[in-house]
Amino acid sequence: MSEQHKSTTHFGYKTVEANEKEQMVASVFHSVAAKYDLMNDLMSFGVHRLWKRFTIDCSGVRKGQKVLDLAGGTGDLTAKFSRIVGETGQVVLADINDSMLKVGRDKLRNKGLGSNIAYVQANAEALPFPDNHFDLITIAFGLRNVTDKDKALASMQRVLKPGGRLLVLEFSKPQHEIMNKLYDFYSFNILPKVGSIVAKDSDSYQYLAESIRMHPDQETLKAMMERAGLEQVEYFNLTDGIVALHRGFKF
């Protein structure tokens, strides 16, 4: 039973072999990369921009610092951090999916950004960076797609500098039953249809809705971050907990 538990994981509501999930998730994001920004605006009615702005406000990032935007996708946070850290700082946009990374790189270059940005294809579970390297790590809407979340959090903690902070922005659990029911209806009835019409892909957006429901709730994720060695972990519920921002420090 123990071996079986170790070798399987969730892909949405499906139970799959753990070593297959990475490729299955990759297929989803190869499929949605081209329409990712448009779908983000449609899915959240533009509110994702406010969630990301709050994340920036909680980052405490300063000129000259090193930032890792993990699972950074199309680079929304990277663009903001690039301007804040300036020429003496650096932002690394890292994503496991090369399609997402290419879309992000092209978008940032079209904005005239890039002199202080590096692009790295990396797995969150085994980050290819030295110990104690970054002042800040963010992972926005990416942790729920990671196969071994505990391993990923430990890897993030390792590459943070002492005094550095980790910010995890992720879909979470609504705090009120009415919101929960509305959110369920939207996620499973409206979202896949929008994905089918706009991105020509309802299956990927069905998976994304399911992956949100399988992600740890606020208190569980807080405990996972503490087990990984992060301290003073707290979270902020946004939009009634549809999204939560968790923040933890390395001392």
Side-chain angles (χ1 to χ4, degrees), residues 67-135:
V67 177
L68 172 61
D69 183 13
L70 186 56
T74 57
D76 285 349
L77 290 176
T78 292
K80 301 288 188 185
F81 288 133
S82 172
R83 295 183 176 104
I84 294 170
V85 302
E87 291 302 313
T88 59
Q90 185 186 48
V91 183
V92 176
L93 173 57
D95 203 292
I96 196 171
N97 188 281
D98 66 311
S99 295
M100 295 290 288
L101 207 56
K102 287 172 183 172
V103 170
R105 181 190 61 197
D106 291 346
K107 186 172 83 171
L108 292 168
R109 286 179 176 174
N110 287 340
K111 289 183 174 182
L113 300 171
S115 61
N116 63 352
I117 300 173
Y119 303 89
V120 177
Q121 188 171 358
N123 187 330
E125 297 175 22
L127 293 170
F129 305 109
D131 294 357
N132 308 315
H133 189 68
F134 293 102
D135 299 284

Side-chain angles (χ1 to χ4, degrees), residues 13-231:
Y13 288 161
K14 299 174 185 174
T15 299
V16 300
E17 294 295 321
N19 58 7
E20 295 176 354
K21 179 174 179 176
E22 184 178 314
Q23 188 56 49
M24 295 171 78
V25 171
S27 296
V28 168
F29 283 93
H30 285 311
S31 175
V32 304
K35 299 283 188 179
Y36 188 77
D37 285 337
L38 174 60
M39 283 298 295
N40 271 354
D41 279 328
L42 291 173
M43 287 188 302
S44 72
F45 306 101
V47 179
H48 76 98
R49 298 173 185 274
L50 299 179
W51 299 331
K52 290 171 182 172
R53 187 180 302 167
F54 182 75
T55 302
I56 298 285
D57 290 344
C58 290
S59 71
V61 73
R62 300 188 302 277
K63 187 175 180 179
Q65 292 190 323
K66 291 181 180 177
V67 177
L68 172 61
D69 183 13
L70 186 56
T74 57
D76 285 349
L77 290 176
T78 292
K80 301 288 188 185
F81 288 133
S82 172
R83 295 183 176 104
I84 294 170
V85 302
E87 291 302 313
T88 59
Q90 185 186 48
V91 183
V92 176
L93 173 57
D95 203 292
I96 196 171
N97 188 281
D98 66 311
S99 295
M100 295 290 288
L101 207 56
K102 287 172 183 172
V103 170
R105 181 190 61 197
D106 291 346
K107 186 172 83 171
L108 292 168
R109 286 179 176 174
N110 287 340
K111 289 183 174 182
L113 300 171
S115 61
N116 63 352
I117 300 173
Y119 303 89
V120 177
Q121 188 171 358
N123 187 330
E125 297 175 22
L127 293 170
F129 305 109
D131 294 357
N132 308 315
H133 189 68
F134 293 102
D135 299 284
L136 171 72
I137 299 175
T138 59
I139 179 166
F141 306 114
L143 186 61
R144 73 181 189 282
N145 297 308
V146 174
T147 303
D148 190 332
K149 296 173 180 60
D150 289 308
K151 191 173 180 182
L153 290 168
S155 186
M156 294 177 221
Q157 193 271 354
R158 177 185 65 79
V159 302
L160 265 181
K161 289 180 180 178
R165 66 184 73 186
L166 169 64
L167 298 178
V168 180
L169 182 67
E170 189 56 88
F171 292 106
S172 201
K173 308 301 178 188
Q175 298 301 287
H176 296 92
E177 189 58 29
I178 291 176
M179 178 65 85
N180 199 43
K181 287 180 178 177
L182 288 171
Y183 187 44
D184 273 349
F185 178 82
Y186 170 75
S187 297
F188 292 105
N189 293 278
I190 308 298
L191 180 56
K193 288 185 173 65
V194 176
S196 177
I197 294 167
V198 177
K200 304 293 187 286
D201 183 354
S202 63
D203 289 345
S204 291
Y205 287 93
Q206 179 74 24
Y207 158 72
L208 291 173
E210 293 176 3
S211 70
I212 291 166
R213 300 314 186 281
M214 300 304 295
H215 186 68
D217 65 17
Q218 288 91 326
E219 285 292 330
T220 304
L221 180 54
K222 178 183 177 183
M224 291 170 68
M225 291 174 67
E226 290 170 342
R227 282 202 305 273
L230 293 154
E231 299 179 51

